[in-house]
Amino acid sequence: MKIKNRVLRENINSYLFLLPFLVIFLIFLAYPVIYSFILSLHRVTPYTDLYNVFSDMKFVGLKNYLKLLNDSKFWWSLIVTFYYAILTIPGMIILGLLLAIFLNNKLPGVSFFRSAYFLPNVLDILVVSLIWTLIYSPHFGVFVRFLEWIGIKGFSEKGILGNPRTALPGIAFAMILKGSGFGMILFLSAIQNIPHSVYEAADIDGANAWQKLIYVTIPLVKPIILFLVIMGTISSLNAFTEIYAMTQGGPYEVYFLGEIQGATKVSGFYLFENWAQMRYGYAAAISYVLLIITLIISLINARIMRRKF
Amino acid sequence: MINERRIREFIKRVILFIILSIGAIIVLFPFFWMLYIALKSPGKEFVLDFSFVKPFYANFLRVWKNESFPFGRFFLNSLIVATSGATLTALFCSMGGYVFAKKNFYLKEFLFWIMLSTLMVPGMMYMVPQFAIVTKLGWINTYKGMVIPHVASVFGLFLLRQHIETIPDSLISSAKIDGASEWQIFRTIIVPLSLPVITTVFLLTFLFQWTNFLWQLVVNTPESMKLTLPVGLALFRGQYQTQWCLLMAASSFSIIPIAILFLIAQRFFIEGLTAGAIKG
């Protein structure tokens, strides 16, 4: 009887401590996964009460998903997202690794450089995007002027972001400069954990710097490279703010499946647009498909990780 | 022979130092550029010279007290949202982390598993359902609408659980023998001994809330008085496309406090942000 009492007390106490977290978790993180699916089977009714939209939706079954299959804008947004991932992930990994290798030397001011490269990571992404919009802007933007100065004149009229070919790479470049300090810190702590004897052994075998990088360093930091690939993929699927601030999905000069498409319209931005146009059911369907894509990517990555390590 | 090697080593270091310096200038250039433009007079943003507006804080003052876009107010809103969000998150995560680390209770494994699996859900997909829930609760244009949905940080809970597990059980049981209540144990043993990790969770949440744009755009209508800095900036830019010096002055209100905070508490930021990677 006494033991039973103690177990009960322990349970009550534990739940009292957990309660605030658990309630918020269940309402705002667990339930939405189910609720989002329910919403995706519904559609906002026209002429609905603006303050009561969500209680007033009409059940449409799988119609939203069927519509999604034939939506060229949705497929295009997936392509752009994939392209964005390809543009950002290798750049961040290579730059992060290079910086880490450079900083792994005895130099004056190493800790200053470490802070300087990491700092942009913590700054507001909206503000950073606004500053880059200014730098990339036509006629007066300092980047365009620099290009003119070295003899490239093609960007004077529309700037970097007004040109469908350079808009997404331009955004990716800004985000690589903002984000590569994160990889740098991870690589740096991994490289510092590699015993010196490994490099000494390579020295004795007559390996040059390049060979040491390819045969010693990279294999030993592979888990971090994989981690950065996963993180980069997920953040491409989450990309929104930089697109919102820099291009709003445009310029609209690309043809795909017979329709004009925005050159930088990633799936996150397309989802936002549907939300902004109050197509909540359709937006929920898009987010569900994106969730499934993310889960598949995570599973594939988990499998690769398990096989290699 | 030794001398030659030393010279080569020296030259290598000089070259590395120069490369790293140029790199740092490139990486930090946007922020210098922001300050540079913020100090120019309106209409002369694109004249590349060193003539600045007088007094130098004129642009900052104008946006701080602007009538339709009161950035002083936005700054205060951001501060309220970030501070209250960080405080609640740090508190709830420590309480939850404590029971997950030190107690046995019904459904513990199951809850742990559910929390772990929500970490895989990309943030973007929460936009629509969370917006629907917040609308139903009538929390549009409120601080709680901005703060509460993000207070249950699973990452923060795991970070704290992992740390609290290392606190010896003997400390807790001896306090129990002395007649301490659960809350007293939490307050006098668990919290003081996990203060560095609690600080990390606090700072990371503060940063997350301060820079969160999408959610605060979603829960506020444009005429809301609760707009935070990033949302205010985005709306300001929509109206005054060409007033770059004012926009950049307003941007510094968001950038400068975070940069200072980062330089003071660097260790916590870096440890916290990389903790997920090293453990995963």
Side-chain angles (χ1 to χ4, degrees), chain A residues 39-116:
Chain A
L39 281 175
S40 75
L41 304 179
H42 290 73
R43 163 166 88 70
V44 174
T45 46
Y47 316 114
T48 182
D49 175 7
L50 262 182
Y51 295 94
N52 202 21
V53 188
F54 290 102
S55 334
D56 213 24
M57 287 172 82
K58 191 181 156 218
F59 183 79
V60 291
L62 292 173
K63 258 192 191 149
N64 284 324
Y65 290 97
L66 290 175
K67 206 171 123 195
L68 208 55
L69 282 178
N70 293 316
D71 183 355
S72 76
K73 290 200 163 76
F74 174 67
W75 295 109
W76 170 253
S77 78
L78 285 183
I79 294 173
V80 176
T81 308
F82 183 67
Y83 181 41
Y84 188 52
I86 302 258
L87 284 171
T88 45
I89 296 170
M92 286 211 196
I93 289 173
I94 291 168
L95 197 59
L97 186 57
L98 268 181
L99 287 173
I101 290 169
F102 289 168
L103 284 178
N104 194 32
N105 286 285
K106 283 202 186 75
L107 290 169
V110 164
S111 65
F112 166 77
F113 285 129
R114 221 172 62 125
S115 316

Side-chain angles (χ1 to χ4, degrees), chain A residues 11 15 28-29 117 145 245, chain B residues 20 46 48 106 126 130 237:
Chain A
N11 262 307
Y15 271 98
F28 289 106
L29 288 172
Y117 287 119
R145 281 196 196 178
Chain B
L20 284 171
F46 295 109
L48 296 180
Y106 186 59
Y126 277 118
Q130 282 186 342
R237 189 217 175 189

Side-chain angles (χ1 to χ4, degrees), chain B residues 48-256:
Chain B
L48 296 180
D49 58 10
F50 288 96
S51 65
F52 295 116
V53 66
K54 277 176 198 150
F56 73 91
Y57 51 80
N59 293 332
F60 297 98
L61 204 64
R62 265 184 73 190
V63 283
W64 187 264
K65 292 188 168 166
N66 192 301
E67 265 177 30
S68 39
F69 291 93
F71 278 96
R73 176 71 205 248
F74 299 161
F75 185 86
L76 191 70
N77 288 339
S78 273
L79 208 59
I80 292 172
V81 167
T83 313
S84 59
T87 310
L88 290 177
T89 307
L91 177 67
F92 295 169
C93 287
S94 346
M95 287 163 67
Y98 167 51
V99 295
F100 269 111
K102 292 294 181 193
K103 304 228 162 250
N104 275 312
F105 52 91
Y106 186 59
L107 289 180
K108 182 178 171 182
E109 302 299 315
F110 174 71
L111 286 175
F112 195 76
W113 179 83
I114 290 195
M115 288 179 184
L116 204 74
S117 43
T118 58
L119 277 181
M120 303 243 271
V121 180
M124 197 70 204
M125 102 141 250
Y126 277 118
M127 182 181 74
V128 179
Q130 282 186 342
F131 171 74
I133 294 166
V134 165
T135 309
K136 278 188 173 173
L137 291 170
W139 286 4
I140 296 295
N141 292 342
T142 62
Y143 290 131
K144 56 184 176 211
M146 286 186 259
V147 172
I148 304 284
H150 292 110
V151 158
S153 158
V154 176
F155 173 73
L157 183 112
F158 285 170
L159 213 59
L160 275 151
R161 182 196 74 120
Q162 210 143 28
H163 176 81
I164 294 169
E165 269 178 343
T166 64
I167 296 174
D169 286 332
S170 56
L171 276 179
I172 297 170
S173 50
S174 64
K176 254 186 203 157
I177 291 165
D178 291 344
S181 70
E182 281 294 339
W183 181 252
Q184 278 170 329
I185 292 172
F186 175 72
R187 228 193 50 196
T188 58
I189 297 174
I190 305 298
V191 171
L193 288 177
S194 349
L195 219 48
V197 186
I198 294 177
T199 313
T200 303
V201 171
F202 180 91
L203 287 172
L204 287 186
T205 319
F206 186 91
L207 179 68
F208 168 78
Q209 292 277 12
W210 185 272
T211 59
N212 189 352
F213 172 65
L214 174 61
W215 180 244
Q216 289 163 9
L217 180 74
V218 163
V219 285
N220 280 298
T221 53
E223 68 281 359
S224 162
M225 280 310 285
K226 305 283 165 60
L227 294 184
T228 53
L229 274 175
V231 186
L233 279 166
L235 295 178
F236 180 84
R237 189 217 175 189
Q239 288 214 0
Y240 302 95
Q241 281 270 337
T242 52
Q243 304 255 32
W244 281 105
C245 64
L246 295 182
L247 186 64
M248 289 297 114
S251 297
S252 3
F253 296 147
S254 162
I255 294 283
I256 291 171

